[in-house]
Amino acid sequence: MAVPIAVLDCDLLLYGRGHRTLDRFKLEDVTDEYLVSTYGFPRQFIYYLVDLLGASLSRPTQRSRAISPETQILAALGFYTSGSFQTRMGDAIGISQASMSRCVANVTEALVERAPQFIRFPEDEATVQSLKDDFYGLAGMPGVLGVVDCTHVAIKAPNAEDLSYVNRKGLHSLNCLMVCDARGVLLSAETHWPGSLPDCTVLQQAALTSQFETELHKDGWLLGDSSFFLRTWLMTPLHIPETPAEYRYNMAHSATHNVIERTFRTIRSRFRCLDGSKGTLQYSPEKSSHIILACCVLHNISLEHGLDVWSSPATGHMEQPEEEYEQMESMDSEACRIRQELLLTHFS
């Protein structure tokens, strides 16, 4: 009696029955050097992810339940760090390209579920003060709780004709709003905004703005570049500095804000699926947004585990479109007063 081909899993067709081939790749059989070069991370980091995500990846309702959490995580890390579903990688861990795609989806969702655990602002006073001290140590800018900026990640054109994802360079992208601390740890990441939205509009509509205007830290501020409006909780550079104090303020602002540019470079370099060198993310905007957020979670976990070497710029296509900075000066009198007090108190 013939068995309908539709009920057979791709791995069964390629590798035969049983679970052994699905799990034939064992972490203990290879060196750390091989794991880092192929999957981007050392053995102990991968073991940590298995412990963290194992329960989610073993859910009996998932089609890939026969594939171990360890193998699913390796497949996902291989994609995140290389940007492609290369057959040789699937062969190395014993699964098909189709199953690799499912593994990436499963691991991505498991990481996204844990984003609030790893990407968040500190709340206790001691940690908040430590955050400010770290920033002050960079260039003498006081009261800084984080630096904020946007970056674009290229995606394929949505199936439906949707110009909202076409950015100023004529490419389809997501405009991602992120905040980091002085070490590059992400404190906030909103990865779903359409590429056509300018940075100031993204911030205006973001959950981040609601948080800072209604509940978060009244005794400090974020630093943003000239693509944003000055706010009571967001200090921007002076458009045309005139006095020595204003020049000193702008220099300290620029040196401190540069941390997030370095963070973007590190993320692009570590997670090549985002840097454009392998082409655009071949997913819907929603799934692409989840992949970006999953990489952000992994970025923070890697810093937590001491994998915090700043990387050189990647040669990709993630550069954000230029903004028209001239229109960004704020008429918020209270925000102007706070910035002027900052100038007089710390930079005069």
Side-chain angles (χ1 to χ4, degrees), residues 131-145 147 221-223 235-237 248-257 342-343 346-347:
L131 189 67
K132 294 179 183 179
D133 292 344
D134 288 345
F135 275 118
Y136 187 80
L138 294 179
M141 180 70 75
V144 180
L145 300 168
V147 290
W221 39 74
L222 303 178
L223 295 188
M235 294 292 102
T236 61
R248 284 192 288 269
Y249 166 85
N250 270 13
M251 289 178 64
H253 187 292
S254 177
T256 307
H257 188 267
L342 182 60
L343 282 163
H346 293 279
F347 295 98

Side-chain angles (χ1 to χ4, degrees), residues 167-180:
N167 61 37
R168 289 169 58 86
K169 291 186 175 181
L171 305 174
H172 290 84
S173 68
L174 291 168
N175 196 3
C176 305
L177 178 73
M178 301 187 192
V179 180
C180 75

Side-chain angles (χ1 to χ4, degrees), residues 77-96:
L77 291 179
F79 169 71
Y80 297 147
T81 59
S82 73
S84 65
F85 291 119
Q86 296 182 10
T87 302
R88 64 175 179 82
M89 189 170 293
D91 288 345
I93 55 178
I95 62 174
S96 66

Side-chain angles (χ1 to χ4, degrees), residues 120-122 127 130-132 134-135 138 144-148 178-188 222 256-260 262-263 299-300 303 310:
R120 65 188 188 279
F121 282 92
T127 308
S130 177
L131 189 67
K132 294 179 183 179
D134 288 345
F135 275 118
L138 294 179
V144 180
L145 300 168
V147 290
V148 59
M178 301 187 192
V179 180
C180 75
D181 70 9
R183 287 184 55 230
V185 175
L186 295 173
L187 306 175
S188 177
L222 303 178
T256 307
H257 188 267
N258 184 56
V259 171
I260 197 161
R262 297 170 69 194
T263 300
H299 168 77
N300 274 11
L303 293 182
W310 291 105

Side-chain angles (χ1 to χ4, degrees), residues 106-119:
N106 293 342
V107 174
T108 295
E109 292 311 304
L111 287 168
V112 168
E113 287 176 3
R114 288 157 179 79
Q117 175 184 347
F118 292 100
I119 303 176

Side-chain angles (χ1 to χ4, degrees), residues 11 15 18-29 64-72 74 92-95:
D11 295 308
Y15 301 110
H19 295 228
R20 181 174 301 174
T21 52
L22 296 178
D23 297 314
R24 65 182 181 180
F25 183 93
K26 299 297 182 182
L27 284 176
E28 58 268 23
D29 294 338
S64 62
R65 60 189 179 277
I67 305 178
S68 70
E70 179 180 293
T71 302
Q72 293 185 61
L74 288 172
I93 55 178
I95 62 174

